[in-house]
Amino acid sequence: MRKKVIAGNWKMNKLAGECGEFLSEILNDIDTSEKDVIVCPTFTALWKAYDTVKGTNVHIGAQNMHYEDKGAYTGEVTAEMIREAGCEYVIIGHSERRKYFAETDETVSLKVKKAYEADLVPIMCIGESLEERESGETFNVLKMQVENALKPLQIDEKMIVAYEPLWAIGTGKTATDEQAQETCKFVRDTLNDLFGDVSEKIRILYGGSVNEKNVKSLMAMSDIDGALVGGASLKAEFIKLVNYDK
Ligand code: PGA
């Protein structure tokens, strides 16, 4: 059985103090006994989030990192820097990074490799656009994204993949349970073709307008092992979302 993951991607929201306050408010109410709960604040708030959750079962992730160890990359941070700030996880290749900051499958691949070297768990994001889904290209697009990024690498069961259809992110329009299941299953099959049996142990998350209402039925799907949550992870609703099975 794969342990479920609920990860909150806070994007460019919440100051350090606000992260600390929010986490203090929810910590006693979220049930982390049977799943991995991760929050991903912005870089400058990582230390505060870590400080607040230290000693609990809530884990911290960053939303990005560079693949080099150091050097002249103005504005970037390294794997070691986010580890120092308390991260165990790192989101890589979120569609907003691909869209606004020119991330490619190639940089995603380099970052996943670096995450492994730095003992961070990569949460690699993939997903198709509305146009690609409507023209029947979804599986091709996802296959390319997975293969381009992961084929050159050695990955193992700690890898996390987040399937996030672009048309569902921040739109309030969630994929249906069946659509999300079918696609996550396809991603698992693709991982199986590349890496064999370990694909059964890799956690595949769904992301895109997950909320306290739709989470339960999505999580009941056999190939969906968790959720990457944006908007709904910023509010008290996150408590109910994490506790969906209570
Ligand atoms: P959303 O964001 O839940 O607000 O749609 C998800 C994400 O971007 O990871």
Side-chain angles (χ1 to χ4, degrees), residues 9 11 94 96 164 168-170 208-210 228-231:
N9 173 10
K11 308 192 180 183
H94 189 281
E96 286 150 16
E164 298 202 300
I169 296 178
S209 298
V210 177
L228 181 55
V229 188

Side-chain angles (χ1 to χ4, degrees), residues 8 26 32 50 59 78 105 112 114-115 119 126 130 136 160 162 169 181 192 213 235:
I26 68 170
T32 55
Y50 176 66
H59 305 273
T78 67
D105 292 342
V112 171
K114 181 54 65 180
D119 203 19
I126 54 172
L130 184 59
I160 297 177
I169 296 178
Q181 160 60 24
N192 190 277
K213 296 200 180 72
K235 307 174 270 184

Side-chain angles (χ1 to χ4, degrees), residues 17-193:
E18 292 168 334
C19 288
E21 269 168 43
F22 180 67
L23 285 167
S24 304
E25 274 166 34
I26 68 170
L27 270 179
N28 285 335
D29 296 324
I30 52 177
D31 186 340
T32 55
S33 55
E34 281 157 29
K35 46 182 101 72
D36 288 330
V37 178
I38 307 159
V39 293
C40 305
T42 196
F43 288 130
T44 52
L46 288 172
W47 66 275
K48 181 68 183 179
Y50 176 66
D51 221 39
T52 313
V53 304
K54 217 167 27 190
T56 74
N57 265 331
V58 175
H59 305 273
I60 305 295
Q63 299 169 19
N64 179 36
M65 63 170 205
H66 200 275
Y67 50 81
E68 293 289 356
D69 288 328
K70 62 182 167 127
Y73 298 100
T74 303
E76 291 292 324
V77 300
T78 67
E80 200 181 354
M81 288 167 187
I82 60 173
R83 282 207 47 125
E84 183 185 39
C87 292
E88 295 167 80
Y89 295 80
V90 58
I91 298 173
I92 293 175
H94 189 281
S95 63
E96 286 150 16
R97 301 271 342 150
R98 294 179 190 251
K99 180 172 172 196
Y100 302 124
F101 303 100
E103 291 259 3
T104 61
D105 292 342
E106 194 185 356
T107 59
V108 169
S109 184
L110 292 166
K111 290 179 181 194
V112 171
K113 180 164 185 272
K114 181 54 65 180
Y116 264 97
E117 285 166 14
D119 203 19
L120 288 158
V121 177
I123 304 175
M124 183 185 83
C125 301
I126 54 172
E128 83 287 0
S129 66
L130 184 59
E131 204 185 358
E132 287 160 347
R133 178 156 284 269
E134 286 177 344
S135 60
E137 285 299 306
T138 299
F139 287 179
N140 285 342
V141 169
L142 296 174
K143 188 170 176 348
M144 289 312 289
Q145 288 175 342
V146 170
E147 285 186 355
N148 291 344
L150 299 184
K151 207 172 181 175
L153 309 181
Q154 288 288 333
I155 59 157
D156 63 15
E157 61 198 65
K158 83 172 187 179
M159 178 83 207
I160 297 177
V161 178
Y163 164 58
E164 298 202 300
L166 274 54
W167 46 271
I169 296 178
T171 58
K173 199 175 157 198
T174 325
T176 64
D177 299 339
E178 292 72 24
Q179 266 173 338
Q181 160 60 24
E182 181 193 33
T183 316
C184 289
K185 167 87 169 69
F186 174 81
V187 173
R188 193 176 309 286
D189 290 345
T190 306
L191 291 169
N192 190 277
D193 291 342

